[in-house]
Amino acid sequence: MGQWRGSIHEENGISCHDCHGGDPRDAVNAMSPARGFIGAPAEQQIPAFCGRCHVGITEDYLKSAHGKALGTGGPTCVTCHGSHRVAAATLDIINENRCGTCHSFDRAAAIKDAMTRTEAMIAVIDAKIRLLKGEGVDTDSREKSLFALRNTFRRLFHEVDTARVEQESGRIRSELGAIDQSLALYDQAKQQRKFIGAIVVGALLLAALFSHLLKKTWN
């Protein structure tokens, strides 16, 4: 329980029985197989165990070099994410201390660099969309495009083929750039409206001043 505290599972309300089964309402029989308790999985069962909730992620893992090495010394879900103090799937997991225990960090570092640049673009564009949406701009199509690209990006988290990650990250950044350019058009249109508005207000003020001076002349 102590290790579970502070995990991404606790943060999302996932408790012991959600993973291990059993009946949390009955302390005496909570770990009884008759109450659905399944205990801890064997090493080769871990992906299927976690995959009951993380279906797409498990598929990505099993297709990767890590997944193909399952049972022959390859890492499982808990190797990188932990078993109870489960860490969220962020790029912070890719680090020399963790990856370097099995192999050189060079390839992982290249993967992390490509993905970090992509993630930064996603964050910037997401912030721009939120800002425009708050100003009443219809950003629905851009939101959907960003959502799709973000999901595609996240499918790379278990890919260990450096060339593929760099290529796919580059493609995603190109599409993100197109979204960013379309958002820039919104900003340009907004600035033009402000400029035209300022001209109109200025013209009205000049007209009012001219009318006032004209009245004084006739009086």
Side-chain angles (χ1 to χ4, degrees), residues 54-129:
H54 306 290
V55 180
I57 293 171
T58 303
E59 290 175 357
D60 293 338
Y61 160 78
L62 291 173
K63 290 175 184 176
S64 72
H66 284 167
K68 290 175 181 176
L70 178 65
T72 60
T76 67
C77 313
V78 301
T79 306
C80 298
H81 296 278
S83 56
H84 290 98
R85 186 169 288 140
V86 181
T90 69
L91 294 180
D92 290 337
I93 285 179
I94 305 175
N95 60 68
E96 190 162 8
N97 288 336
R98 181 175 279 109
C99 303
T101 59
C102 298
H103 49 68
S104 167
F105 185 60
D106 294 344
R107 288 175 58 197
I111 288 172
K112 184 173 184 177
D113 177 65
M115 295 185 70
T116 298
R117 285 182 282 137
T118 307
E119 188 173 68
M121 281 191 73
I122 289 174
V124 168
I125 292 171
D126 182 59
K128 288 182 179 180
I129 288 175

Side-chain angles (χ1 to χ4, degrees), residues 138-146 186:
D138 181 7
T139 59
D140 186 60
S141 63
R142 273 67 183 180
E143 285 182 81
K144 288 178 179 177
S145 296
L146 181 62
Y186 283 131

Side-chain angles (χ1 to χ4, degrees), residues 19-198:
C19 294
H20 298 284
D23 187 353
R25 297 166 300 180
D26 185 346
V28 176
N29 298 300
M31 298 174 68
S32 169
R35 297 292 181 89
F37 184 71
I38 56 178
E43 181 180 345
Q44 288 184 258
Q45 297 173 328
I46 291 173
F49 184 87
C50 299
R52 292 173 299 165
C53 293
H54 306 290
V55 180
I57 293 171
T58 303
E59 290 175 357
D60 293 338
Y61 160 78
L62 291 173
K63 290 175 184 176
S64 72
H66 284 167
K68 290 175 181 176
L70 178 65
T72 60
T76 67
C77 313
V78 301
T79 306
C80 298
H81 296 278
S83 56
H84 290 98
R85 186 169 288 140
V86 181
T90 69
L91 294 180
D92 290 337
I93 285 179
I94 305 175
N95 60 68
E96 190 162 8
N97 288 336
R98 181 175 279 109
C99 303
T101 59
C102 298
H103 49 68
S104 167
F105 185 60
D106 294 344
R107 288 175 58 197
I111 288 172
K112 184 173 184 177
D113 177 65
M115 295 185 70
T116 298
R117 285 182 282 137
T118 307
E119 188 173 68
M121 281 191 73
I122 289 174
V124 168
I125 292 171
D126 182 59
K128 288 182 179 180
I129 288 175
R130 290 176 184 274
L131 181 62
L132 288 169
K133 189 174 182 178
E135 294 175 351
V137 176
D138 181 7
T139 59
D140 186 60
S141 63
R142 273 67 183 180
E143 285 182 81
K144 288 178 179 177
S145 296
L146 181 62
F147 179 80
L149 285 174
R150 184 188 281 119
N151 284 344
T152 300
F153 169 70
R154 286 176 175 169
R155 296 298 295 258
L156 293 176
F157 270 56
H158 288 88
E159 178 59 66
V160 293
D161 182 332
T162 308
R164 182 174 183 277
V165 171
E166 289 179 337
Q167 181 181 13
E168 188 67 4
S169 293
R171 184 190 67 78
I172 292 171
R173 286 196 297 274
S174 177
E175 293 192 35
L176 288 169
I179 295 175
D180 198 30
Q181 287 179 1
S182 69
L183 295 177
L185 294 177
Y186 283 131
D187 280 332
Q188 290 175 13
K190 183 175 68 176
Q191 293 303 322
Q192 287 176 352
R193 288 195 298 270
K194 285 184 177 179
F195 180 70
I196 292 171

Side-chain angles (χ1 to χ4, degrees), residues 194-204:
K194 285 184 177 179
F195 180 70
I196 292 171
I199 291 175
V200 170
V201 170
L204 290 173

